[in-house]
Amino acid sequence: RDQLVESGGGSVRAGGSLRLSCKTSEFTISGTCMAWFRQAPGKEREAVASIYTDYYGGDNAFYTDSVTGRFTISQDLAKNTVYLQMDTLKPDDTGMYFCAARFGGCSINLKPDAYNYWGQGTQVTVSP
């Protein structure tokens, strides 16, 4: 049973936009490190963005260099949902995108095995 459910993938031309969603009913995402990973064929799974809500209620977001300024991670605590807004998409952004969660510290440098929960993935394809 998937504890995280992604949606919103699809095919777009370069320069286009997509918004991915990740929802869970298994736990509250508040105070949880939520992340988006992607995996292209033949490549390792890499972290794209992560977010957590700190003690004061502020959102702290982290991004890998290749998406900084183009992608935005956000969360709606009332809906227990995390989003990834992807703008100015490039063919290199093509891959399967996965939502992940961990109970603990949050950093863009965390590897996949640091995460406790995963979704089934949603495909993003960007054509030239």
Side-chain angles (χ1 to χ4, degrees):
R1 183 182 67 179
D2 295 319
Q3 288 136 332
L4 302 173
V5 180
E6 303 103 332
S7 61
S11 298
V12 296
R13 291 282 186 95
S17 298
L18 286 172
R19 189 175 83 152
L20 307 182
S21 299
C22 170
K23 184 176 178 62
T24 181
S25 58
E26 298 291 325
F27 52 85
T28 178
I29 65 172
S30 178
T32 302
C33 178
M34 302 296 298
W36 287 97
F37 281 74
R38 69 183 176 195
Q39 188 166 21
K43 293 188 176 181
E44 294 186 353
R45 193 171 296 190
E46 64 168 345
V48 174
S50 58
I51 189 169
Y52 78 96
T53 303
D54 62 28
Y55 178 81
Y56 302 100
D59 283 344
N60 298 268
F62 309 94
Y63 301 93
T64 192
D65 289 346
S66 63
V67 307
T68 298
R70 300 188 298 121
F71 290 11
T72 304
I73 189 170
S74 62
Q75 53 189 1
D76 185 331
L77 299 182
K79 296 182 178 180
N80 222 36
T81 300
V82 178
Y83 304 98
L84 184 67
Q85 177 67 40
M86 305 185 294
D87 299 318
T88 320
L89 282 160
K90 303 176 181 179
D92 284 349
D93 295 319
T94 294
M96 186 70 78
Y97 282 68
F98 298 89
C99 181
R102 71 185 302 266
F103 303 125
C106 207
S107 165
I108 198 62
N109 298 314
L110 291 172
K111 301 301 182 185
D113 60 6
Y115 288 80
N116 309 106
Y117 300 97
W118 290 89
Q120 81 287 356
T122 185
Q123 179 67 35
V124 171
T125 303
V126 185
S127 58

